[in-house]
Amino acid sequence: GYFIEYCTSYETDGTKWKTKKDIPLMMDNPKMLHTNSEMYEYVHTLVQDFENAVCSPTFHNSKGKHYSEYINVDSLVDYWMVWNFLCNNEFGARSIYFYIEDGKMTFGPIWDFDQTIGNVITVATKDAKGDYWVHDKKNAWFKEIMGDPWFVALAQERWFSIREEIDDLITSVDVYWDYMGDDAERCYERNGVRYYVIRQPEANDGHSLTPTEDYQLIRKWLRERVEWIDENFTRIAPNVD
């Protein structure tokens, strides 16, 4: 197969290219794909055909093919769902992975989720109930696809099918805190902030959150985000703007 990263840093000594919508792609494996012109053309054409379809008003490209003919649709739904549920601030900036196998693109694995669940690192915590769906910063693949009623219906169905697991996830936050909260506070008191560095004085009043504050933030943020998605997924056509 072929393993590809969508990343705006565009830093690699291997194969890289930009699509017609200016999406920066880098080959993670095989890294030097461009040394085989036949393989490179195969990957480049498949990805471009997908983009042409997903960015078309009809969701079909000039070859008459729907974008679903180029991808594992379930993987795309799940991938989009995770990034939106946890509000990854880097969606469309870096660490978006997919691989090509058996002639189709499959999205995943999930990676690089430090700027999620309200944690934006360089600014104050991000609102869980803001009136937005997270989409890629290039305003291409993951924004355009939300204009497709079929994809929206699949996403709605998937969300409500995993709601019980989502509730279990939130409950697990309490379970883990009960298990390790006291130890986390003792480590914080002894060592202070060792990894996290506040880069802007106005963020969180200029100090890092304590483990207790982090726990309370995560718990509150997750519940508010679930409420927002529940409410907005009752709409037929969510607004991504």
Side-chain angles (χ1 to χ4, degrees), residues 6-75:
Y6 170 159
C7 184
T8 54
S9 69
Y10 211 47
E11 296 176 356
T12 180
D13 57 0
T15 301
K16 62 182 179 179
W17 75 97
K18 292 185 178 181
T19 70
K20 292 180 180 179
K21 289 292 185 179
D22 202 35
I23 301 299
L25 300 174
M26 303 185 300
M27 289 298 307
D28 277 19
N29 188 49
K31 190 172 183 179
M32 307 302 288
L33 182 69
H34 62 280
T35 60
N36 185 312
S37 59
E38 183 178 352
M39 293 171 66
Y40 174 76
E41 184 62 26
Y42 165 73
V43 171
H44 183 276
T45 299
L46 191 152
V47 173
Q48 190 59 60
D49 285 347
F50 162 74
E51 178 180 274
N52 293 344
V54 82
C55 294
S56 164
T58 65
F59 300 103
H60 290 76
N61 58 29
S62 60
K63 297 178 180 179
K65 291 189 174 183
H66 190 262
Y67 67 81
S68 61
E69 297 183 59
Y70 299 97
I71 62 171
N72 177 323
V73 177
D74 289 341
S75 76

Side-chain angles (χ1 to χ4, degrees), residues 69-209:
E69 297 183 59
Y70 299 97
I71 62 171
N72 177 323
V73 177
D74 289 341
S75 76
L76 179 61
V77 171
D78 285 349
Y79 203 76
W80 180 91
M81 186 71 68
V82 171
W83 284 77
N84 268 277
F85 171 42
L86 299 178
C87 281
N88 193 319
N89 190 55
E90 294 186 307
F91 198 20
R94 62 185 67 250
S95 303
I96 297 177
Y97 291 95
F98 62 92
Y99 60 91
I100 297 173
E101 196 169 68
D102 298 327
K104 286 197 172 185
M105 299 162 55
T106 296
F107 284 84
I110 296 295
W111 184 252
D112 194 7
F113 270 62
D114 54 331
Q115 295 193 44
T116 61
I117 316 181
N119 177 34
V120 190
I121 297 181
T122 57
V123 295
T125 56
K126 196 171 186 179
D127 183 13
K129 301 181 75 171
D131 188 20
Y132 57 84
W133 293 100
V134 179
H135 54 77
D136 56 302
K137 301 178 189 301
K138 289 287 185 178
N139 294 326
W141 298 357
F142 295 95
K143 181 176 186 295
E144 295 297 333
I145 203 166
M146 282 302 290
D148 180 11
W150 179 65
F151 179 83
V152 172
L154 291 175
Q156 290 171 319
E157 181 180 358
R158 181 61 170 157
W159 172 254
F160 289 112
S161 75
I162 61 172
R163 275 294 281 107
E164 185 174 340
E165 286 81 359
I166 296 295
D167 288 337
D168 289 343
L169 171 65
I170 298 175
T171 299
S172 72
V173 174
D174 296 329
V175 173
Y176 282 114
W177 179 254
D178 289 342
Y179 178 73
M180 62 184 298
D182 290 343
D183 289 339
E185 283 293 354
R186 283 195 293 271
C187 288
Y188 182 83
E189 291 172 4
R190 182 176 65 248
N191 299 320
V193 181
R194 298 175 68 88
Y195 176 75
Y196 188 90
V197 178
I198 293 293
R199 299 176 187 174
Q200 294 185 0
E202 65 271 22
N204 302 322
D205 297 323
H207 69 275
S208 179
L209 299 179

Side-chain angles (χ1 to χ4, degrees), residues 198-237:
I198 293 293
R199 299 176 187 174
Q200 294 185 0
E202 65 271 22
N204 302 322
D205 297 323
H207 69 275
S208 179
L209 299 179
T210 67
T212 297
E213 290 172 330
D214 262 330
Y215 158 66
Q216 293 170 342
L217 168 66
I218 290 171
R219 193 174 185 277
K220 178 176 181 291
W221 192 97
L222 286 172
R223 292 194 179 280
E224 289 182 351
R225 186 61 180 163
V226 167
E227 290 174 3
W228 188 89
I229 294 177
D230 279 347
E231 177 184 351
N232 283 271
F233 258 145
T234 60
R235 303 178 183 179
I236 295 176

